[in-house]
């Protein structure tokens, strides 16, 4: 008989959950694939610090040498930030990473899956994955959307990246019964671009009401939900500039034959280069703002 796999919790996370104190999950793909060195480790550490300052315990999630881990140590964070060739694990890759003893950074879908197994209900990230835009009738739709449909974790994000097809992304979320809760916004944020004109499904103006909406959704048999926290307008990049940089990056990806799991990291990297690092600054601000809000909501649950 094979023994069932259980996530390993850090002592601090296990103690907090046992005492019913707030815990916030953080993802590791942003460290290993989403941000360049040295910003990646700085943001990973700052996000943990922000969660602590807001009164919650941070739990960065990854598969570490085959062990699904909720609550990485600082040494592990540093190793992930420096390592080359770390696997990027969405939900479907978790079993393989565990069985093959790999170290894998978890995406939003992979992090949600492990957070839920550990009993963590709130998770902060930068932006979720979504439906990529055409060329062609692309079937590149992030596993994040389907994980949100099934797993009862609240994902605090600055919406979805403007590199995605946002109308299609929101339609898919609606089809799958995923609430898109706007935090002090009526429209869906687009990461480091100014807000879209696409409506959220419900607006809330406090962390308390966000927690109430999510708790009610789960009580009624729902899965995950998005708490969309816009980057302040002053920190956003001009829409036109980003749109153009995105079109260029997409064309480059197509020419270089980049697709699948490599597409998102490729586009993010090219955008950072095109904007002289301004997307990185914005990314850092929004991750930290989401971490703080997530800690507040976790405190209300
Ligand atoms: N947003 C970011 N940086 C990232 C990601 C999202 O600002 O690195 C990552 C998340 O881990 C998300 C993943 O789950 O990209 C989506 O990848 P894909 O499009 O391959 O599903
Ligand atoms: Mn994809």
């Amino acid at each position: 008989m094979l023994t069932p796999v259980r996530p390993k919790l850090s002592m601090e996370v296990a103690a907090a959950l046992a005492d019913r104190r707030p815990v916030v999950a953080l993802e590791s793909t942003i460290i290993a694939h989403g941000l360049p060195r040295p910003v990646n480790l700085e943001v990973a550490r700052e996000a943990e610090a922000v969660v602590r300052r807001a009164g919650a315990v941070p739990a960065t999630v990854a598969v570490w040498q085959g062990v699904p881990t909720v609550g990485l140590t600082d040494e592990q964070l540093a190793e992930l930030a420096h390592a080359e060739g770390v696997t990027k694990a969405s939900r479907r890759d978790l079993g393989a990473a565990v069985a093959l003893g790999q170290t894998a950074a978890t995406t939003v879908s992979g992090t949600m899956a492990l957070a839920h197994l550990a009993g963590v209900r709130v998770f902060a990230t930068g932006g979720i994955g979504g439906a990529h835009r055409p060329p062609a009738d692309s079937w590149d739709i992030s596993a994040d959307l389907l994980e949100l449909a099934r797993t009862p974790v609240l994902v605090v994000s600055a919406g979805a990246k403007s590199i995605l097809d946002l109308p299609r992304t929101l339609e898919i979320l609606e089809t799958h019964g995923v609430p898109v809760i706007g935090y002090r916004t009526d429209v869906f944020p687009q990461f480091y671009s100014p807000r879209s004109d696409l409506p959220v499904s419900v607006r809330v103006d406090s962390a308390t009401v966000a927690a109430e909406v999510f708790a009610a959704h789960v009580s009624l048999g729902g899965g995950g939900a998005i708490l969309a926290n816009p980057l302040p307008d002053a920190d956003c990049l001009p829409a036109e500039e980003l749109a153009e940089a995105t079109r260029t990056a997409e064309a480059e990806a197509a020419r270089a034959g980049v697709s699948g799991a490599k597409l998102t990291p490729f586009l993010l990297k090219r955008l950072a280069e095109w904007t002289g690092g301004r997307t990185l600054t914005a990314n850092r601000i929004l991750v930290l703002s989401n971490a703080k809000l997530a800690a507040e909501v976790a405190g209300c649950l």
Side-chain angles (χ1 to χ4, degrees):
M1 260 291 275
L2 297 171
T3 40
V5 181
R6 293 256 166 274
K8 180 181 164 197
L9 279 55
S10 69
M11 264 164 36
E12 191 189 8
V13 170
L17 289 171
D19 302 347
R20 313 185 110 253
R21 282 183 284 119
V23 177
V24 171
L26 299 164
E27 63 152 307
S28 47
T29 289
I30 190 165
I31 306 173
H33 304 281
L35 294 170
R37 295 189 278 258
V39 179
N40 58 351
L41 181 57
E42 290 163 13
V43 171
R45 285 181 168 153
E46 284 166 10
E48 293 209 342
V50 164
V51 168
R52 280 185 207 287
R53 278 204 296 279
V57 171
T60 304
V61 173
V63 179
W64 196 264
Q65 297 171 356
V67 180
T69 304
V70 176
L72 296 180
T73 63
D74 190 65
E75 294 72 48
Q76 289 173 323
L77 283 187
E79 241 184 277
L80 259 193
H82 289 108
E84 297 284 349
V86 174
T87 306
K88 171 180 165 184
S90 71
R91 146 76 76 173
R92 72 163 180 184
D93 308 304
L94 293 175
V98 168
L100 304 179
Q102 294 170 345
T103 292
T106 48
T107 66
V108 169
S109 69
T111 305
M112 287 181 78
L114 295 181
H116 175 57
L117 284 175
V120 177
R121 286 176 294 173
V122 182
F123 160 26
T125 182
I128 59 163
H132 282 272
R133 304 196 295 194
D137 302 328
S138 168
W139 278 93
D140 189 344
I141 295 167
S142 177
D144 296 353
L145 302 186
L146 298 185
E147 199 60 36
L148 278 159
R150 66 191 273 199
T151 301
V153 168
L154 180 67
V155 180
V156 184
S157 83
K161 280 164 300 242
S162 51
I163 57 173
L164 297 168
D165 183 329
L166 293 183
R168 274 207 305 152
T169 299
L170 289 170
E171 290 295 346
I172 294 166
L173 290 169
E174 180 185 357
T175 301
H176 289 278
V178 178
V180 178
I181 308 169
Y183 182 72
R184 299 182 177 163
T185 181
D186 295 306
V187 290
F188 195 58
Q190 315 183 77
F191 210 61
Y192 30 60
S193 312
R195 294 174 211 202
S196 70
D197 50 13
L198 305 162
V200 294
S201 65
V202 56
R203 174 192 173 121
V204 302
D205 287 284
S206 69
T208 318
V209 179
E212 285 166 0
V213 170
F214 176 62
H217 172 69
V218 175
S219 306
L220 294 166
I226 294 170
L227 181 57
N229 180 28
L231 181 66
D233 294 334
D235 296 314
C236 287
L237 276 79
E240 248 327 295
E241 180 188 355
L242 269 179
E244 185 173 350
T246 304
R247 277 192 297 273
T248 313
E250 282 171 341
E252 284 176 357
R255 271 200 306 279
V258 176
S259 65
K262 294 199 161 35
L263 183 59
T264 295
F266 179 90
L267 295 175
L268 292 175
K269 177 164 175 281
R270 292 301 287 137
L271 285 184
E273 287 161 3
W274 270 95
T275 60
R278 278 178 297 139
T279 56
L280 296 182
T281 309
N283 210 334
R284 172 187 226 136
I285 296 171
L286 65 88
V287 167
L288 300 182
S289 160
N290 294 343
K292 176 162 182 278
L293 178 59
E296 287 165 14
V297 176
C300 302
L301 273 172

